[in-house]
Every structure is written in structure tokens, then in C-alpha cells.
Amino acid sequence: MIKHDIEKVGAMFEIPGDFIFAERYGSGHINETYSVEYNQGGTTIRYIFQLINKFVFKNPEKLMDNIYRVTSHIHEKLKIAGDKSRHTLTVIKSNDNLPYAIDENGNYWRVYVFVEKAKTYDIIETPDQAYQAARAFGEFQKMLVDLPGGRLFETIKDFHNTPKRVERLKEVIAEDKLGRVKECQAEIDFVMSRIDDTEKLIQLQEAGKIPERITHNDTKLNNVMLDYLTGEGICVIDLDTVMPGLVHYDFGDLVRTSTSPAAEDEQDLSKVYMQFDMFEAILRGYMAGAGEFLNETEKKLLPFSGKLIPLEIGVRFLTDHLEGDVYFRIHRDDHNLDRCRTQFKLVESIEEQYDKMMELLESI
Ligand code: ADP
Ligand code: GN1
Ligand code: MG
């Protein structure tokens, strides 16, 4: 991995004080994140530096314009409510007054205020955490219902277009450039027997039954910070994919990442399943945050999205495995295949509990 001179990166931004120390941070699959300390008047202040992944995000300037618009809008709302410093990301401007800076190698960097006294979790531990995460993402959607300034830029086109994700899977199966298809037949069959599910949301959107909204699109549990002391979901982060979408993409990814007691890359599949109490907490939390603006069809499809999104992300992990791990950062052989298998195991567990999920929704 290339070593970056983080002190030099920091010098491109309007950060007062003296650089002390930087270290790699977090467990995201896409960007390169650093925690960076400065001495400001004798106190240590931390920032988050991120190298934006240019392979994944082809237009970092428009992406940062989205993030700046979204965070400024939320800041305005929070100003009225009287508390803003830890409740949304704060973008630090560059010396050129831009929300990013470009280093001598053409890399795009951004800097955020470090949200202190809060943390992210990779694995859900309690229903209260699930409730808090879901409420925070629901509220995030609600705050963006009236975002001014026109449609947000689509940072990744067709990001949650499940049928297109399946088409891409079929292409890499046909290419089979690493000869891995033979060991993945069970996973491929799993997808092909669920084609109807993969088409449902897009068809309903095209039929005008569910509206486009502004959604986060990557609501995994470690993209929301919970307060250390109170456990409250205080700050939604990782805003690269905030763009037009369906609310179900966000609800579904919460179910995907916040109901199983196992890690996304767990190899012992007996540990992977949907805990119903976590699903209930997500549903109640999300409705507390977003319930007031959803239409009836949107509400009815929430449980469905809980099985669709793990299926879709499993398709993406499988595609990347067959293609040679070009997208998601891996840390061991077959890492993306392991990730795919947990997703499909979770889909099965959700399918088994689906009737109960629908009953719960109707009772709320
Ligand atoms: P990726 O796109 O790679 O997932 P994220 O934006 O999610 O990158 O950042 C990775 C991790 O860094 C997060 O899961 C979180 O723990 C931490 N992090 C990101 N932004 C902040 C912030 N402003 N304050 C504190 N921690 C942060
Ligand atoms: C990536 O960036 P991160 O790690 O929060 C991915 C998501 C996947 C997720 C799977 C831009 O999220 O779409 O659901 O991995 N982000 C992008 O863990 O592709
Ligand atoms: Mg992330």
C-alpha cells in the first residue's frame, strides 16, 4: 500500500495548529481513512482525513458538492434546534476554499471534524443500538426531504439497481477470467432462483408506486456514530452515496448489517441469522425517524427490502470474487466469497421469518 505524507496533506487545508500524529482508522471497504491529531493552543484536536477512492467514485468534485450541500442543509436545521457540532459531519475547507484538495499525485482528499465521544460498531450488540441506528438514518432521510438546489448528483449510477447488479454478475460468470465459477455454483443458483425478487422494487418505482427520495444508500451499522454515554444515534457518516434513491435501500441495509450477531465476513455460517428482536428495534427506530413522510406502499415494502438488500450486496460480493477482487478491499483469500456466503445465509434466515416480520409491521 502507498504511504501518504499526511502532514503534507493537512497543509492543503485550513487547519490551525501543529500536526502531531496520524494513523489509519476504521474498517470501511472503500476509502482510506486516517485519524489525525493537531496541537491547537495546547489542546489535542482530532480530524478525519479521507483519500477518496477514485476507482469507485469517478467524479470526486461533484461528490463533494453533494456532501457540502447535504451537511450545510442539516447544519441549518440543527441551528434552529440549537445543537449541531456532533450531529452531522463538518467539512473543513481547503486553502483554496474548496471542500476537497488534490495532492501532487492527483489524489482527492477531504477533511472532517472528528466526532468525539461517540463510536461506530461493526457488529450489533443490543436492540437499543439497532433502534438508535435506524432512528438516526430515518431522521437523516427526513431532514433531506426539503433539500433545496435541485436533484443531487448520482455519485454511482444504478448503485442499487438490483437487476443491473445481476446482469453484471451474469457477465462475469460468462467471462470466468479466474476460473472461480466452478466453486461458486451453489451461490450462483441461489441468486438465479430469486430473480423475481431482484426486479420487484425497480418495477414498482417505474410504475409510480414508490417515489424517488434522497437516501443515504450505505446505511451499514458502522456508518452511524452512537454516543459513548447515552447510546444515542447522533451522527450519520460516510455520505459518498447520498443521492436519489428509494427509502428501502436504507432500511434494507440496516436489516442486513444490524440484525445478525456475526461479522459480515464470518466463516462459520451457523452464527449468521436474523435476530427478530433486532429487526423489531430497526423497524420501530426507523418509523420513529422517518414514519411521518412515508406512503403506505413504502411502509408495506420495508420487510421485503430487508431480504432484497442482503441478496443484492451478496451479488456484488460474488461478482467481485469472480472478477478478481477489484472493488471491495480484501484481507485474505476468498474474502469476498465469504462475505457473499454470509449475505445469502442471512437472506435464508429472513425468508424463514418473513411472515412474522409482516405481522409485526401490520401491528405497528
Ligand atoms: P468508508 O467509506 O471506507 O467506509 P467511512 O467514511 O465510513 O469510510 O469512515 C470509516 C470509519 O472512520 C467509520 O466507520 C468511522 O468509524 C470513522 N469515521 C469516519 N468519519 C468520522 C468522523 N467524522 N468522526 C469520527 N470517526 C469517523
Ligand atoms: C461498502 O464504504 P463502506 O465500507 O461503508 C460499499 C457498500 C456495501 C458495503 C458492504 C460505495 O461500504 O455499498 O454495501 O461496502 N460502498 C460502496 O459492506 O460501494
Ligand atoms: Mg463506511
Side-chain angles (χ1 to χ4, degrees), residues 22 28 63 74 77 90 94 100 112 151-152 177 194 198 201 207 250 254 278 298 302 307 334 346 361:
L63 178 154
I74 296 177
K77 294 213 154 168
T90 303
S94 74
Y100 57 85
Y112 294 122
R151 198 168 184 265
L152 285 174
K177 66 177 181 207
R194 287 167 178 76
T198 65
L201 280 189
D250 289 359
L254 277 160
M278 298 296 182
E298 280 176 307
L302 292 175
K307 61 178 173 169
D334 292 342
L346 186 60
L361 177 74

Side-chain angles (χ1 to χ4, degrees), residues 28 30-31 48 50 89 113-115 120 222-223 225 237-238:
I30 306 293
N31 294 310
I48 285 284
Q50 280 182 327
L89 288 175
V113 168
F114 197 106
V115 177
T120 53
N222 66 17
N223 286 335
M225 306 204 62
I237 61 169
D238 203 346

Side-chain angles (χ1 to χ4, degrees), residues 43 79 108 147 151 339 347 350:
T43 298
K79 216 189 270 174
Y108 282 77
L147 180 79
R151 198 168 184 265
R339 290 171 176 151
V347 171
I350 294 172

Side-chain angles (χ1 to χ4, degrees), residues 351-363:
E351 286 172 349
E352 283 160 15
Q353 301 178 70
Y354 196 64
D355 292 346
K356 227 170 113 192
M357 291 160 76
M358 290 304 290
E359 275 164 31
L360 175 69
L361 177 74
E362 272 145 34
S363 75

Side-chain angles (χ1 to χ4, degrees), residues 22-62:
E23 65 182 341
R24 273 300 289 275
Y25 199 74
S27 52
H29 298 331
I30 306 293
N31 294 310
E32 234 178 271
T33 303
Y34 297 82
S35 150
V36 188
E37 295 181 2
Y38 284 78
N39 175 352
Q40 292 179 3
T43 298
T44 301
I45 302 290
R46 285 200 283 181
Y47 294 87
I48 285 284
F49 283 27
Q50 280 182 327
L51 172 61
I52 303 174
N53 183 326
K54 272 196 297 182
F55 174 76
V56 169
F57 300 108
K58 309 288 184 206
N59 194 331
E61 293 172 20
K62 286 199 175 153

Side-chain angles (χ1 to χ4, degrees), residues 7-34:
E7 183 172 2
K8 215 164 148 195
V9 170
M12 299 190 292
F13 290 87
E14 287 291 324
I15 305 174
D18 302 317
F19 173 87
I20 308 174
F21 169 74
E23 65 182 341
R24 273 300 289 275
Y25 199 74
S27 52
H29 298 331
I30 306 293
N31 294 310
E32 234 178 271
T33 303
Y34 297 82

Side-chain angles (χ1 to χ4, degrees), residues 157-175:
K157 260 207 132 358
D158 294 318
F159 189 56
H160 279 293
N161 186 322
T162 321
K164 288 209 171 145
R165 295 291 187 182
V166 174
E167 281 316 302
R168 182 70 197 131
L169 173 63
K170 287 182 183 164
E171 281 168 24
V172 302
I173 293 170
E175 283 167 26

